[in-house]
Each structure stands twice: as C-alpha cells, then as structure tokens.
Amino acid sequence: MLVREAMTSPVVTIPRTATVRQAIRVLHEHNVTALPVVDEPGRLVGIVSEMDLLQGVFEHDPRSFVRPVATTAAPAPRLVEEVMTRDVETARPNTDAAVLAEMMMKTRIKSVPVLDGSTIVGIVSRRDLIAILARDDARIRDDVLAAIAEYGTEGAHWDVSVRDGVVELRGTMDEPAQQIADVLARTVPGVTRVSIRDRPA
C-alpha cells in the first residue's frame, strides 16, 4: 500500500502568522491532531501539534494552592511560528506506507505531511493508519478478488481467504502468476501479510 492510499486529503493547513488560539480552534473544528504550517506562497515551513499549542496557554488556578501563585515575566507564545516544529519529516505519495509506519513508530512522530514536489497534497496520521488496519476481512477479500480479476493473469483462478488482514491465496498457478497475485494482494489497504498455497487436489 502506498502513502497516497492512506493519507487524508485535502489537508488542513495553518499560516505561520496565525495566533496560537486560532490554531487551537482549527484543530478542534477539524478534529485533527496536527497542522502543517505554511508561508505566504503556501510552502511547508513547519508543523504544529496539540502538544505545541498547549505550551503556556493555561494559567495556574489559585484555588489549587495555599499560597499565591507567582506569575512568569515572559508572555505566553502568541503566534504559530513561535511554537511550531521547523524540522519536518515528510513523505511522498508513492512512499510505501509500511516504511512510513516504521519511521513513525521509531521517531514517535504522530503526523507526517505528504508532498508532491513542494505542494502539500495530504497528511498521514496514526489515526489514518489505524483506520486502514481496521478494515474488515470481508471488504479486504472483495478488494483482493477485484484487483486480481482486473490486473491478474488471464484465466487464473484463486481461492481467497482473509483473517485479521492476513490473506491466503490458494491455486495451482505457475510462478509468474503467483508473483502477480502476491503483488496485487499486497496493494490492497488493510492487508498485513500474504501467503500462497497450492490448492488441494
């Protein structure tokens, strides 16, 4: 599966000159956890997450303390460009989604903008990847059968079963036909593994 099949598009962005409060409202209204930050021409210059936006926005409640709470001299950040992450990990539409998922797990990054050239065409979040894995087996099986019927070797017939995203193909095809079916099955969103077995005589 490729990133373009998992990403959310179109993507909601925020200008770097927006206020932190404006960005918080956009996050809340669109039910997302991060926003790519863009400059005036619309180029990616950073990303801002829920955690970034929560920095310094809450004042201590004096009811929680016996003594008066001292206030800090420095004002809370006001603009998105003051709190955003500037070094942004990105992906391309044709990136393998498995490679991206591994990178996100290793780096603990929750959202990755997708660029086509310099244009932001989508964003992949952990939630997007979970949604793909949550597809039910019956739908995955239908999609595998459709892919093989459309692009597979002419005359090839496969028995297809799916359990928890694992696809099993049974047939008596030659090796080239098996390789084609294997590749096609792996392109279906929600497939986690593919095995090929000979059909019982």
Side-chain angles (χ1 to χ4, degrees):
M1 184 177 61
L2 301 179
V3 162
R4 68 167 178 257
E5 296 163 320
M7 69 184 187
T8 295
S9 182
V11 60
V12 181
T13 62
I14 193 85
R16 64 182 180 183
T17 54
T19 66
V20 166
R21 182 66 67 169
Q22 287 171 330
I24 289 171
R25 290 196 190 102
V26 172
L27 275 181
H28 179 69
E29 289 168 5
H30 292 274
N31 192 28
V32 294
T33 59
L35 297 167
V37 182
V38 295
D39 61 11
E40 289 71 19
R43 294 171 303 200
L44 181 71
V45 294
I47 192 166
V48 67
S49 68
E50 293 169 320
M51 190 65 69
D52 297 326
L53 295 173
L54 286 173
Q55 294 179 32
V57 295
F58 285 104
E59 289 286 337
H60 290 289
D61 190 323
R63 295 174 298 178
S64 299
F65 301 89
V66 176
R67 298 176 182 176
V69 179
T71 58
T72 56
R78 295 191 313 107
L79 299 180
V80 166
E81 64 183 352
E82 296 176 52
V83 298
M84 70 182 186
T85 299
R86 297 176 186 274
D87 186 16
V88 185
E89 293 283 355
T90 62
R92 300 290 175 184
N94 289 333
T95 299
D96 188 328
V99 173
L100 179 62
E102 287 174 12
M103 182 274 287
M104 292 173 74
M105 286 186 287
K106 287 178 181 176
T107 60
R108 305 180 84 73
I109 292 173
K110 295 183 179 180
S111 299
V112 177
V114 183
L115 301 181
D116 186 359
S118 60
T119 304
I120 305 172
V121 294
I123 190 167
V124 177
S125 67
R126 293 180 185 177
R127 187 180 302 174
D128 293 320
L129 298 177
I130 290 295
I132 293 294
L133 294 175
R135 299 182 81 223
D136 66 71
D137 290 340
R139 186 174 175 189
I140 292 172
R141 181 179 182 275
D142 289 344
D143 288 349
V144 169
L145 286 169
I148 291 175
E150 185 170 0
Y151 301 108
T153 304
E154 187 174 352
H157 176 72
W158 294 97
D159 294 327
V160 179
S161 62
V162 183
R163 183 173 181 180
D164 295 333
V166 177
V167 175
E168 183 177 274
L169 304 173
R170 286 185 176 269
T172 54
M173 311 306 158
D174 58 18
E175 188 172 342
Q178 290 183 9
Q179 291 176 344
I180 291 171
D182 179 80
V183 169
L184 291 171
R186 291 177 192 278
T187 66
V188 172
V191 171
T192 57
R193 194 166 73 250
V194 178
S195 65
I196 298 178
R197 299 177 184 274
D198 287 333
R199 185 184 293 121

